[in-house]
Amino acid sequence: MSNIKETVLEINLAHLTHNFKYLKSKVKPHVKILTVVKASGYGSDASVIAKHLEKIGADYFAVAYSSEGIQLREAGIKAPILVLHPQPINFQILIEYRLEPSLYSSRVLKEFIKIAVSRDQKDYPIHIKFNTGLNRIGFWENDVDHIIEQLDRTSSVKVVSLLSHLAASEDHNEREFTLMQINSFKKTAKEISDKLGYTPILHQSNTSGILNYPEAHFNMVRTGIGLYGYGNDAKYDTELKPVAALKSVISQIHMLEPGESLGYNRAFITSGFTKTATIPIGHADGIGRQYGNKKGFVTINNKRAYILGNVCMDMIMVDVTEIDCKEGDEVVIFDSTLSAAKIAERSGTISYELLTAISPRVKRTIIDDN
Ligand SMILES: *Cc1c(COP(=O)(O)O)cnc(C)c1O
């Protein structure tokens, strides 16, 4: 008997522990582990994930926005929290919550120093982000002198780390480009460290950097997707365990005659007698319309049931003509055997997008086997 009574996202903490240990085993013992819990812990529950990670030895946390960091502090997280992409409008509150900004341009560095000074800060921890080829966010190599000039004028801040981000660490065809990024970061890190008079923590690797580029581990690595059980590579996927499982139930079963239509815009017309199951999950829950019209499927009693017609806001209808099932039966959208990466691939996207799209109205259930 299934214990699933509605749409739920199960969060398996034993899997999280397994993934954390696996990733940690890939780096030398002195290398710190920064765990990325942005976007609600990749669509799960940032507070639950961060508390568990803090307990099992994560050294640092990272989020994208200041508001996400505040949420973690309010949940009681004590470890340092790096805000990867803060905006100056939030610098006051960022300091109030003792969050650490990644500063990526002269404009934001200047703005941050101004606010740190006005709040009488001394050696407030900051991180300097360099662009080495992703061309998304970060100082350029030739900004070093300008950064040092700004830092020399104040004692309100202290650089605790230098970071950069790899553009294609999961793509083996881009090895040359990645090695260029690593060398560029090394060179810039040395130049700025010499001028600072000490070497801050250095970090450049995301999950795929950890797995594919030991030369980019430096003394800290940042892992997001790997913690949640995905290695961007079949080889690593088998070693990791997906943390989140999305499940639901059959609300109703219908028997349709040949030639009947189903759902909005009558997008599906039956060609024969068709048994359909309606499931309480739709695009407002994170199952995008691109999964409609048989692009996506769910699993019912270990069989594939394809999505018929358009995905509705709160429901999908699936084909169960050949499946022995009844109302109330469990439905699996993804779990640790049928991973979110595989489901995502069917609609041309990636695990990251499918996971982070699961909306807050989906109930989270914590499975803690420890
Ligand atoms: C999101 C993010 C990460 C985590 O990347 P994964 O591929 O999920 O491990 C690391 N660093 C930065 C700067 C990020 O934005």
Side-chain angles (χ1 to χ4, degrees):
M1 270 302 280
S2 166
N3 56 354
I4 304 295
K5 308 285 183 208
E6 62 182 326
T7 302
V8 294
L9 189 79
E10 291 179 342
I11 302 169
N12 189 314
L13 297 179
H15 288 186
L16 181 63
T17 301
H18 169 89
N19 299 334
F20 180 80
K21 286 188 179 156
Y22 177 77
L23 292 157
K24 202 170 162 57
S25 78
K26 295 287 162 189
V27 302
K28 296 212 179 85
H30 75 276
V31 176
K32 287 183 199 296
I33 311 285
L34 176 151
T35 55
V36 183
V37 296
K38 63 191 179 190
S40 300
Y42 285 49
S44 59
D45 182 320
S47 304
V48 167
I49 296 285
K51 276 190 210 162
H52 189 73
L53 288 170
E54 192 170 57
K55 201 170 67 189
I56 63 177
D59 300 291
Y60 241 95
F61 288 100
V63 291
Y65 307 144
S66 304
S67 56
E68 298 179 302
I70 292 169
Q71 214 194 334
L72 293 184
R73 283 283 181 254
E74 287 183 337
I77 296 298
K78 298 282 182 290
I81 301 171
L82 168 61
V83 181
L84 293 164
H85 198 176
Q87 297 299 328
I89 191 170
N90 298 315
F91 283 165
Q92 296 274 8
I93 196 156
L94 181 146
I95 292 176
E96 271 171 43
Y97 281 85
R98 208 79 203 153
L99 306 172
E100 305 180 3
S102 164
L103 300 173
Y104 45 88
S105 70
S106 290
R107 177 181 69 93
V108 298
L109 175 60
K110 201 179 286 169
E111 211 40 52
F112 191 80
I113 290 173
K114 198 172 89 193
I115 289 168
V117 168
S118 77
R119 296 182 69 102
D120 291 325
Q121 297 297 313
K122 177 117 182 52
D123 291 339
Y124 193 92
I126 63 167
H127 304 253
I128 303 286
K129 173 81 175 272
F130 285 97
N131 169 32
T132 53
L134 184 56
N135 293 339
R136 184 172 77 169
I137 194 175
F139 283 100
W140 291 72
E141 259 177 64
N142 57 13
D143 287 328
V144 169
D145 285 336
H146 182 73
I147 296 167
I148 293 292
E149 213 175 281
Q150 291 201 52
L151 293 175
D152 276 349
R153 275 193 249 130
T154 182
S155 59
S156 64
V157 299
K158 180 170 169 109
V159 178
V160 294
S161 94
L162 306 173
L163 67 147
S164 183
H165 195 37
L166 298 172
S169 55
E170 72 278 29
D171 189 342
H172 300 289
N173 296 318
E174 294 293 357
R175 202 170 164 80
E176 205 181 321
F177 185 86
T178 305
L179 294 173
M180 180 283 291
Q181 280 198 281
I182 296 167
N183 282 329
S184 162
F185 181 59
K186 271 188 196 158
K187 188 167 153 277
T188 311
K190 174 155 188 353
E191 193 189 337
I192 189 163
S193 300
D194 285 349
K195 290 181 174 157
L196 283 169
Y198 65 93
T199 306
I201 300 172
L202 307 182
H203 49 121
Q204 189 176 28
S205 286
N206 60 349
T207 299
S208 291
I210 295 172
L211 299 172
N212 299 326
Y213 292 93
E215 57 272 68
H217 290 178
F218 300 101
N219 41 19
M220 186 154 80
V221 292
R222 305 186 298 270
T223 176
I225 200 75
L227 286 173
Y228 305 96
Y230 297 91
N232 296 329
D233 190 322
K235 178 169 88 181
Y236 299 122
D237 283 346
T238 59
E239 304 284 342
L240 297 163
K241 298 183 178 179
V243 167
L246 184 59
K247 300 180 179 175
S248 189
V249 291
I250 298 177
S251 294
Q252 195 175 12
I253 287 181
H254 291 292
M255 306 297 290
L256 304 180
E257 304 273 327
E260 282 197 82
S261 67
L262 176 64
Y264 285 129
N265 308 102
R266 308 186 64 208
F268 181 74
I269 309 285
T270 61
S271 50
F273 287 99
T274 304
K275 181 164 77 158
T276 67
T278 301
I279 326 276
I281 190 166
H283 60 74
D285 301 288
I287 304 301
R289 277 174 59 98
Q290 67 272 23
Y291 288 103
N293 300 301
K294 298 190 184 173
K295 263 282 173 63
F297 62 85
V298 299
T299 305
I300 298 172
N301 297 330
N302 296 315
K303 292 220 169 89
R304 281 185 183 197
Y306 284 87
I307 301 174
L308 299 177
N310 288 319
V311 171
C312 310
M313 187 182 291
D314 320 305
M315 286 169 242
I316 51 174
M317 285 76 85
V318 301
D319 186 358
V320 291
T321 309
E322 305 294 333
I323 301 177
D324 181 16
C325 61
K326 58 183 189 312
E327 293 177 358
D329 279 2
E330 180 176 314
V331 173
V332 176
I333 294 95
F334 58 74
D335 65 6
S336 31
T337 23
L338 180 66
S339 79
K342 289 189 192 129
I343 297 295
E345 208 176 71
R346 295 191 62 86
S347 77
T349 185
I350 54 175
S351 58
Y352 296 75
E353 187 183 13
L354 178 56
L355 292 170
T356 59
I358 306 306
S359 77
R361 78 174 183 182
V362 173
K363 184 181 170 187
R364 268 66 174 167
T365 311
I366 314 304
I367 299 175
D368 192 352
D369 300 336
N370 300 323

